[in-house]
Amino acid sequence: MPGSRTGRPPVQRTVRRPAASRPRRDNPLRQLYTRAQRAWDRPLTAYYLIFGGSLLITVLGLVMVYSASQITALQMSLPGSFFFRKQFLAAAIGAVLLLVASRMPVKLHRALAYPILAGAVFLMALVQVPGIGMSVNGNQNWISLGGSFQIQPSEFGKLALVLWGADLLARKQDKKLLTQWKHMLVPLVPVAFMLLGLIMLGGDMGTAIILTAILFGLLWLAGAPTRLFVGVLSIAAALGVILIKTSPNRMARLQCIGATDPGPGDACWQAVHGIYALASGGIFGSGLGASVEKWGQLPEAHTDFIFAVTGEELGLAGTLSVLALFAALGYAGIRVAGRTEDPFVRYAAGGVTTWITAQAVINIGAVLGLLPIAGVPLPLFSYGGSALLPTMFAIGLLIAFARDEPAARASLAMRQPRFGRKRGAGGSARSRRPAGVSRRWNTMRRRASAARPSGER
């Protein structure tokens, strides 16, 4: 046809669309956001976040305990690794508890609620018996186990309240009794106040605050009405004000919020030197083990103020990493509590998440000078086996609940072991041949190629 070299009519050439009408590629940032959203929505996301986040926090905590406690141990005429070895032993025992808790069925967790509560109450009462209970830093909340080992029963009271409160509320929800405010409060609030009273007999207000946060978290998950929630909160706040006003030590701690100077009598020495440690760390810190404040300037450097030493040695990058890990752990706990249909799992997961998140906020807020120093450790991070063991058992609870989701169970059931699995019949013949046969076949091919004439194909 004239005017066309290929013989096609000119009309066919005009049908081609211009380059501008091609579909545009998505924005790389939008693609990254879409991929991240898909990753967050996967069934096993909460499981990996809980397991991986708690593992990283514990391992980093062991490193920082070793770094922050060396000087304190040497000042006490002890080996430099003394506190690290005790913390490592507690972490090993806690890892066993975590694995056991993560493999236990939900029914067994519920069955353990009452024995754990009874044991915690007995030990917390035993603390007040003269000759058995010990006083540490002015608080009568410890029991000696012989040698350098001690136990703080109030730490196990947190786990007891979570399990027992979750089982109580779940049974009442099954009977549709939570619509009545009397059943919502009794006996949950009286038992919680009994635990709080036993703790306050020893003077440990920091642990009492954490226990109060767990109580409020359970009531909020149970759908307590606003007036009931505000009423219980008002009573707790009034009791807290009375306890603070009647204690000069607590009043002094309250006055150290935002302090930049130790003040008269060095009343704010610990709070101020915690700020000094964070400020001297910079972006990437002075280096692991190179802290200056841990050389006797910062009290409790390996326990309550280990976050300050982390900021000094690892800098802003290290502290933000710790905050990100706790945020991921909190998000995963909320996700487990929100996606389950089992009321016990919802209450228990929400109680554990409230416990760990509130304790982390109180500890870090005190180090930053935003909250009064409450004397509570950073969960999974600070030195202290009494705090580490129940916390790791609680993490095992979250892992068990995350694995028990229907979508997560289906995803885990579809998985096959990476090593030793049989290949399907659809695999290639070469992949199904034994190694010796494959080597002989390749040798024969090389010999045939060498004997073949150059012009043959």
Side-chain angles (χ1 to χ4, degrees):
M1 183 177 293
S4 175
R5 296 180 180 178
T6 60
R8 292 182 298 179
V11 180
Q12 293 182 359
R13 266 189 276 178
T14 58
V15 175
R16 297 175 60 185
R17 297 179 181 179
S21 62
R22 295 179 180 176
R24 298 181 180 179
R25 295 182 178 179
D26 292 338
N27 190 352
L29 295 178
R30 187 176 182 83
Q31 291 181 352
L32 182 61
Y33 172 78
T34 303
R35 292 178 181 177
Q37 190 175 16
R38 291 176 181 174
W40 285 112
D41 292 336
R42 290 177 180 175
L44 293 176
T45 297
Y47 169 76
Y48 287 131
L49 284 179
I50 295 170
F51 183 78
S54 59
L55 178 63
L56 290 175
I57 293 174
T58 305
V59 172
L60 183 58
L62 286 173
V63 174
M64 293 311 305
V65 165
Y66 180 67
S67 175
S69 64
Q70 290 183 15
I71 307 304
T72 303
L74 294 175
Q75 290 175 346
M76 299 171 63
S77 300
L78 297 171
S81 60
F82 175 78
F83 294 104
F84 168 75
R85 286 181 294 178
K86 291 183 62 178
Q87 186 73 357
F88 184 81
L89 177 62
I93 299 175
V96 175
L97 293 177
L98 185 148
L99 292 176
V100 171
S102 65
R103 294 294 179 176
M104 288 168 55
V106 175
K107 292 182 179 180
L108 186 54
H109 286 302
R110 299 187 68 168
L112 290 176
Y114 281 88
I116 292 178
L117 177 64
V121 172
F122 175 75
L123 291 177
M124 291 168 66
L126 202 62
V127 167
Q128 306 305 324
V129 177
I132 298 179
M134 292 182 58
S135 177
V136 178
N137 294 331
N139 293 337
Q140 185 82 10
N141 285 313
W142 298 82
I143 295 177
S144 177
L145 299 179
S148 61
F149 292 94
Q150 303 166 352
I151 186 174
Q152 188 177 1
S154 57
E155 293 290 340
F156 295 89
K158 304 172 186 177
L159 178 63
L161 181 60
V162 168
L163 286 177
W164 177 80
D167 178 69
L168 175 69
L169 293 175
R171 286 188 289 108
K172 290 195 173 187
Q173 181 174 334
D174 292 338
K175 297 179 181 180
K176 299 181 180 180
L177 296 176
L178 291 182
T179 55
Q180 307 175 24
W181 67 270
K182 294 181 180 179
H183 286 283
M184 185 172 292
L185 294 181
V186 180
L188 177 62
V189 175
V191 171
F193 277 16
M194 179 188 65
L195 295 175
L196 289 171
L198 291 173
I199 292 174
M200 289 308 301
L201 283 177
D204 188 2
M205 191 170 182
T207 304
I209 293 174
I210 305 300
L211 215 66
T212 306
I214 296 174
L215 173 62
F216 287 147
L218 291 174
L219 290 176
W220 182 79
L221 289 170
T226 305
R227 61 181 181 276
L228 185 64
F229 201 84
V230 172
V232 177
L233 182 61
S234 301
I235 296 174
L239 291 175
V241 170
I242 293 173
L243 292 173
I244 292 175
K245 288 287 186 180
T246 55
S247 174
N249 184 32
R250 298 189 186 109
M251 284 296 299
R253 291 186 177 187
L254 190 65
Q255 295 173 357
C256 291
I257 297 178
T260 57
D261 185 82
D266 293 334
C268 300
W269 178 274
Q270 187 179 24
V272 170
H273 279 270
I275 297 296
Y276 290 168
L278 291 171
S280 60
I283 302 297
F284 298 105
S286 57
L288 193 62
S291 171
V292 176
E293 291 293 333
K294 69 181 180 183
W295 287 76
Q297 300 296 321
L298 181 62
E300 307 295 337
H302 61 296
T303 54
D304 301 342
F305 272 69
I306 194 171
F307 188 76
V309 180
T310 304
E312 185 178 5
E313 295 187 352
L314 303 183
L316 182 64
T319 55
L320 289 181
S321 299
V322 174
L323 290 176
L325 290 174
F326 276 109
L329 196 59
Y331 165 79
I334 294 173
R335 172 171 169 164
V336 171
R339 292 195 173 189
T340 183
E341 298 295 334
D342 190 337
F344 172 79
V345 173
R346 180 169 64 254
Y347 295 134
V352 171
T353 305
T354 304
W355 162 15
I356 296 177
T357 305
Q359 188 165 329
V361 169
I362 291 174
N363 178 275
I364 296 174
V367 174
L368 296 176
L370 303 176
L371 295 174
I373 299 175
V376 296
L378 190 59
L380 301 173
F381 202 82
S382 297
Y383 169 79
S386 296
L388 185 62
L389 294 180
T391 306
M392 295 192 74
F393 187 89
I395 294 296
L397 285 177
L398 291 180
I399 293 175
F401 298 156
R403 291 169 56 95
D404 199 51
E405 291 183 6
R409 285 203 308 266
S411 181
L412 289 173
M414 291 174 60
R415 294 194 167 192
Q416 296 179 357
R418 291 179 177 271
F419 301 100
R421 61 183 179 184
K422 297 180 180 180
R423 297 183 179 272
S428 63
R430 183 178 180 181
S431 63
R432 294 196 303 269
R433 280 197 300 264
V437 175
S438 178
R439 285 195 295 269
R440 288 195 298 269
W441 176 256
N442 293 333
T443 304
M444 293 172 60
R445 289 182 60 189
R446 287 195 297 269
R447 290 176 179 174
S449 300
R452 185 178 301 162
S454 58
E456 183 181 358
R457 294 186 179 181

